[in-house]
């Protein structure tokens, strides 16, 4: 059973940076995809970025392209999300989740994911 634990959230000012970590325990298969989602208060969980565990292919939602970077460390079974040039609208609880297959439109859908972490809060002050 794969378990995911997020960390690295916090309070930053507009323009600041944070690095979120998603530590993965359990047996990881090359077909796994690790995705980052976020949920703002009274909003639905939305896709942010994803990376394939085997090949390292990445996908981003348009609003974070050029500001956020997803990466992985196979040796430490960790996926990172570097958040730069943060804006108040980035304020949300950030979650990592696991799915399988190839990057596609389905990768952006929360119900495609079978395992989730507990989330880490990112708050950007204006």
């Amino acid at each position: 059973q794969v378990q995911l634990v997020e960390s690295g959230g916090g309070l930053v000012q507009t323009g600041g940076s944070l690095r979120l970590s998603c530590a993965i325990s359990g047996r990881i298969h090359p077909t796994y995809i690790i995705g980052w989602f976020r949920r703002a208060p009274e909003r639905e969980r939305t896709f942010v970025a994803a990376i394939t565990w085997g090949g390292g292919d990445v996908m981003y939602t348009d609003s974070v392209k050029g500001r956020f970077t997803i990466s992985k460390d196979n040796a430490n079974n960790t996926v990172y999300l570097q958040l730069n040039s943060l804006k108040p609208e980035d304020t949300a609880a950030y979650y990592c989740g696991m799915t399988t297959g190839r990057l596609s439109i389905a990768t952006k859908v929360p119900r495609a994911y079978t395992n989730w972490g507990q989330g880490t809060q990112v708050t950007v002050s204006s």
Side-chain angles (χ1 to χ4, degrees):
Q1 179 73 9
V2 174
Q3 294 183 326
L4 302 96
V5 178
E6 303 94 335
S7 62
L11 173 63
V12 296
Q13 293 184 336
T14 296
S17 298
L18 285 171
R19 189 176 78 159
L20 307 184
S21 298
C22 175
I24 307 162
S25 62
R27 192 168 184 175
I28 304 175
H29 195 273
T31 63
Y32 287 178
I33 295 171
I34 304 298
W36 282 98
F37 287 72
R38 61 187 178 186
R39 182 169 61 197
E42 300 182 1
R43 302 285 295 272
E44 293 184 350
R45 192 173 298 196
T46 59
F47 173 78
V48 177
I51 188 166
T52 61
W53 190 258
D57 296 325
V58 299
M59 173 187 286
Y60 298 95
T61 192
D62 287 346
S63 63
V64 307
K65 287 180 180 177
R67 300 190 300 123
F68 293 7
T69 302
I70 190 170
S71 62
K72 63 184 178 71
D73 181 343
N74 288 51
N76 292 306
N77 286 358
T78 302
V79 171
Y80 301 101
L81 187 66
Q82 179 68 41
L83 285 59
N84 296 330
S85 302
L86 281 162
K87 306 174 182 179
E89 51 263 43
D90 295 317
T91 294
Y94 284 70
Y95 300 86
C96 61
M98 187 206 77
T99 186
T100 59
R102 297 180 179 180
L103 296 180
S104 67
I105 293 176
T107 307
K108 301 181 179 181
V109 179
R111 65 175 180 268
Y113 290 73
T114 55
N115 300 68
W116 292 97
Q118 82 291 345
T120 186
Q121 179 67 35
V122 172
T123 302
V124 185
S125 62
S126 57

